[in-house]
Amino acid sequence: MDSCLFIHGFTGGVFEISPLSQYMEKNNYRSTTFTLKGHGGTKTDLLNSSRHDWLKSAEEQLTKLLKENEGVHLIGFSTGALIASRLSVQYKARVKSLTLLSAPVFPLNPVEIIKTLGSFSMLKNYANKFGSTPPKATKEFQRMVRESFEIYPQIETPTLIVQGKRDHLVKTKSAAYLKDTIMAPRKEVLLVDKSGHMVCHCEDSDRIMNEVLQFIESVGYNP
């Protein structure tokens, strides 16, 4: 049975990708989720972790799966997409596909931020996040974003790029940049009109999940 390794985003958690992980499980793929080092705990935990720690914790999960001689498909959301990109290069001989969800190539979309802040719930969410995220951790995220520009041209794994047109944290042009820069012989882009950053929780999530499944199946499925 092929495996899907899911990697969540910066300051986020498994909930960000749980609908898709459950969907893949129902369609005969083994889904593996985990919490990145420094996440899911206290502000101090995040403060004491670095981008290298985040990457290492994801790599440990990947190597566990690879030891079982399964086909592994990497699915990364937001910052998890940056981590998945790097791992797909490091383990390109073993990773079967790469799915990038809301990859923050060019973070922050000011126009969409203004729109979403019109919602009290979104405003509260931003206030909580900004208040609980140490500046040091934010700088680590920004370094990972910059360093990833060296990774994209090295990606040779079949890649699906999913981007919401209403994403309030990532500029839509990120998807086009990835398509132009990634050197994989096969790469596809799915732009979702009615989705913000949380593509697995948007109103078009069913279509997105089906597209991800079809892409992974087309790469090759090992029962």
Side-chain angles (χ1 to χ4, degrees):
M1 179 184 289
D2 277 3
S3 288
C4 294
L5 177 61
F6 291 84
I7 308 175
H8 68 76
F10 175 59
T11 72
V14 171
F15 69 92
E16 295 171 325
I17 35 77
S18 58
L20 181 54
S21 67
Q22 293 167 13
Y23 180 80
M24 295 304 295
E25 192 83 37
K26 290 178 182 177
N27 283 276
N28 302 315
Y29 286 85
R30 176 182 175 188
S31 292
T32 298
T33 59
F34 68 101
T35 302
L36 290 169
K37 178 81 179 291
H39 291 67
T42 66
K43 183 176 179 179
T44 301
D45 292 333
L46 187 57
L47 177 65
N48 292 333
S49 67
S50 70
R51 65 195 188 284
H52 304 297
D53 294 322
W54 310 338
L55 176 63
K56 183 179 179 182
S57 60
E59 185 175 9
E60 289 173 351
Q61 295 292 325
L62 176 58
T63 54
K64 284 181 185 177
L65 293 178
L66 292 177
K67 285 179 182 178
E68 298 174 5
N69 297 314
E70 294 185 343
V72 178
H73 303 269
L74 291 175
I75 302 175
F77 168 74
S78 196
T79 302
L82 306 184
I83 296 172
S85 295
R86 185 174 291 272
L87 291 176
S88 76
V89 172
Q90 289 180 235
Y91 295 87
K92 61 183 177 182
R94 304 289 306 280
V95 173
K96 298 184 70 174
S97 77
L98 173 66
T99 298
L100 305 177
L101 308 173
S102 306
V105 179
F106 301 108
L108 300 181
N109 185 328
V111 174
E112 291 298 332
I113 284 180
I114 292 173
K115 290 180 182 178
T116 56
L117 289 184
S119 161
F120 176 75
S121 61
M122 287 296 294
L123 181 60
K124 184 177 179 181
N125 180 58
Y126 275 105
N128 289 338
K129 267 203 171 185
F130 289 138
S132 62
T133 303
K136 176 180 175 291
T138 301
K139 289 180 180 178
E140 286 294 295
F141 160 72
Q142 293 169 339
R143 290 189 182 103
M144 179 171 281
V145 169
R146 291 194 298 269
E147 293 168 354
S148 294
F149 283 97
E150 299 178 3
I151 298 298
Y152 303 135
Q154 301 179 52
I155 296 175
E156 299 177 7
T157 304
T159 304
L160 174 63
I161 302 154
V162 181
Q163 175 70 50
K165 289 187 178 180
R166 296 180 181 177
D167 195 331
H168 54 283
L169 295 177
V170 178
K171 294 180 181 179
T172 306
K173 69 176 183 178
S174 295
Y177 178 87
L178 288 172
K179 184 179 181 181
D180 291 340
T181 307
I182 289 174
M183 292 292 103
R186 181 176 176 193
K187 49 197 172 182
E188 298 179 14
V189 173
L190 174 60
L191 289 177
V192 188
D193 292 333
K194 298 180 180 180
S195 177
H197 193 60
M198 300 285 282
V199 292
C200 293
H201 293 269
C202 73
E203 58 183 281
D204 278 341
S205 60
D206 288 346
R207 180 169 72 90
I208 293 171
M209 293 189 291
N210 185 56
E211 292 279 356
V212 172
L213 173 63
Q214 289 186 20
F215 176 79
I216 289 177
E217 285 183 336
S218 69
V219 169
Y221 172 65
N222 291 330

